[in-house]
Amino acid sequence: MPPRFSLQPVLDYRHNLVESLQIELGQVTARKQQAENDLQTLCAFRAQLFAELERQQQGVIDFEANRQTRINLRVIEERIQEQIELVRTLERKVAEKQAEVISARQDEETLATLKRKELERYQLEQAARENRLQDDIYIARAYRMLGHGGAS
């Protein structure tokens, strides 16, 4: 039975950290996707307002409706700018979280590599021990055979 890896608690911690960071990355990515969807909705609403403004400017012009549509357009433009900034912020957060996940995975992989190498070293030592024991058995047999053959 191979010896317990001395850094196993650290490896377990790193593994749990990678998992939690991946969950956080998923959450931030979902928030970014939702913000992008909201931005598309705002842009579609803005397009509707422009189409409505165009219709209002044909034929008899209703100045009050026209003024209200323009106010709505300004409000939507402000919301679109805020949403664009939110999307950019979330894009940065996604990139930062991706970097954290990569770094944590590398740390975990480093420890996993150490664990594999320690196990390989143990297995090589075991194989060498078994070979020495096998050699000792063969030598003992040969010695007994020579000892018995010479004494008869």
Side-chain angles (χ1 to χ4, degrees):
M1 178 180 224
R4 179 153 161 60
F5 181 54
S6 62
L7 296 174
Q8 189 62 45
V10 178
L11 180 56
D12 293 341
Y13 168 78
R14 295 287 186 190
H15 179 73
N16 291 338
L17 179 63
V18 167
E19 286 181 345
S20 68
L21 288 172
Q22 287 174 325
I23 290 168
E24 290 174 20
L25 174 60
Q27 291 168 340
V28 172
T29 301
R31 283 195 320 228
K32 179 179 118 350
Q33 183 62 47
Q34 183 59 50
E36 289 172 340
N37 292 344
D38 293 347
L39 178 60
Q40 288 176 344
T41 301
L42 288 169
C43 288
F45 186 59
R46 177 180 60 186
Q48 289 174 354
L49 287 175
F50 275 123
E52 184 179 328
L53 187 62
E54 187 177 319
R55 278 192 305 275
Q56 289 172 355
Q57 293 177 353
Q58 295 172 357
V60 177
I61 297 176
D62 181 347
F63 289 107
E64 184 55 32
N66 193 289
R67 186 179 73 73
Q68 187 58 48
T69 302
R70 289 181 186 280
I71 290 170
N72 290 344
L73 271 169
R74 275 193 296 268
V75 169
I76 289 299
E77 282 298 331
E78 289 173 9
R79 285 283 296 124
I80 287 173
Q81 292 309 312
E82 291 170 2
Q83 200 65 25
I84 288 171
E85 189 54 40
L86 176 61
V87 168
R88 286 182 184 147
T89 299
L90 289 170
E91 284 173 344
R92 283 190 299 273
K93 286 184 179 184
V94 165
E96 290 168 3
K97 196 56 70 176
Q98 285 172 333
E100 284 181 58
V101 168
I102 289 169
S103 177
R105 276 188 185 155
Q106 288 172 340
D107 291 346
E108 179 188 19
E109 187 55 38
T110 298
L111 287 171
T113 300
L114 285 173
K115 182 178 180 177
R116 279 192 305 275
K117 286 184 179 185
E118 188 173 295
L119 179 61
E120 288 171 8
R121 187 177 63 247
Y122 171 79
Q123 290 170 338
L124 287 173
E125 289 172 1
Q126 283 297 102
R129 238 182 255 120
E130 288 173 12
N131 285 339
R132 282 193 303 275
L133 283 173
Q134 194 67 35
D135 287 347
D136 289 347
I137 291 170
Y138 289 143
I139 290 170
R141 281 186 186 161
Y143 181 75
R144 270 185 281 161
M145 288 176 72
L146 286 174
H148 285 286
S152 302

